[in-house]
Amino acid sequence: EDQVTQSPEALRLQEGESSSLNCSYTVSGLRGLFWYRQDPGKGPEFLFTLYSAGEEKEKERLKATLTKKESFLHITAPKPEDSATYLCAVQAWQDYKLSFGAGTTVTVRA
Amino acid sequence: ETGVTQTPRHLVMGMTNKKSLKCEQHLGHNAMYWYKQSAKKPLELMFVYSLEERVENNSVPSRFSPECPNSSHLFLHLHTLQPEDSALYLCASSQGLTGANTEAFFGQGTRLTVV
């Protein structure tokens, strides 16, 4: 069974204080690893898909990286508007299910 | 309209009521999903439809009944729910189920409270 573990559970940052979120996964053949952002009371918003170890993707202050066992979401010089819960999910080859982690809630103080 | 739209956004229902959640996607996708999100727990996949045919019923109680009349619309019919069914119900769609372009795009969700 696919497993996804995200850490830390919560992260409090000062504006401008860069940090990283971790997503460790176990899957029988990774087809894709997905990052989402979720604001309170709203649905998850798609950020990135990573397909193979060594791949990196960036969007504004966010950068996602992938190894064979984990993914990191780096937040560079965060702003208060980056406050959200960040979700990680994996999909195995020839499987349509996304297995989600419980998320990391990031709070950025001005 | 764009994206995935869910109605209603909030719903309070008694345990003996019958209600329906509606989802509509304007992305031209072929697959649609229902997820349940409870506090502090990962998203749980409930149902999957591909080209209007159900391909997954993830051991969901029969008090939840999905309906997919076409590739753009998805419903979740609710009856005789329990208080533990209170959660955020999310609809999502994707281009396909496997292969490329399987990123799921979510609606804003329906916050359901069962009293």
Side-chain angles (χ1 to χ4, degrees), chain B residues 28-66:
Chain B
H29 289 167
N30 294 318
M32 297 188 76
Y33 313 77
W34 281 116
Y35 281 87
K36 175 183 179 181
Q37 188 175 35
S38 303
K40 304 296 184 183
K41 294 177 66 176
L43 271 73
E44 302 172 50
L45 180 64
M46 300 176 71
F47 301 103
V48 181
Y49 279 82
S50 176
L51 297 172
E52 301 134 52
E53 289 197 17
R54 188 192 305 181
V55 297
E56 175 77 13
N57 176 359
N58 210 23
S59 301
V60 178
S62 59
R63 57 186 183 270
F64 295 91
S65 175

Side-chain angles (χ1 to χ4, degrees), chain A residues 41, chain B residues 6-13 21 88 109-113:
Chain B
Q6 290 187 242
T7 56
R9 291 294 312 279
H10 302 273
L11 178 63
V12 179
M13 59 185 288
L21 309 185
L88 183 66
T110 295
R111 171 65 63 185
L112 174 67
T113 303

Side-chain angles (χ1 to χ4, degrees), chain A:
Chain A
E1 185 177 328
D2 303 338
Q3 291 196 346
V4 180
T5 304
Q6 292 188 245
S7 62
E9 188 175 316
L11 187 61
R12 294 177 65 86
L13 301 172
Q14 198 68 34
E15 185 173 3
E17 177 189 2
S18 301
S19 189
S20 296
L21 285 56
N22 178 264
C23 172
S24 298
Y25 63 90
T26 303
V27 64
S28 55
L30 180 71
R31 191 203 80 76
L33 184 142
F34 306 86
W35 281 100
Y36 288 86
R37 168 194 170 124
Q38 186 173 24
D39 293 308
K42 296 188 176 182
E45 173 189 349
F46 172 72
L47 293 174
F48 306 109
T49 308
L50 301 168
Y51 294 103
S52 57
E55 188 175 0
E56 299 182 351
K57 287 194 176 174
E58 290 188 63
K59 180 180 181 179
E60 297 181 353
R61 294 176 292 281
L62 301 177
K63 179 180 178 180
T65 62
L66 181 66
T67 72
K68 289 186 177 180
K69 294 183 179 181
E70 57 192 351
S71 177
F72 292 94
L73 184 66
H74 308 278
I75 309 179
T76 301
K79 297 182 177 182
E81 52 262 43
D82 295 321
S83 298
T85 296
Y86 292 86
L87 303 174
C88 171
V90 297
Q91 184 181 36
W93 277 109
Q94 300 307 312
D95 192 356
Y96 47 78
K97 298 178 185 178
L98 290 183
S99 297
F100 280 85
T104 294
T105 299
V106 175
T107 304
V108 182
R109 296 166 292 172

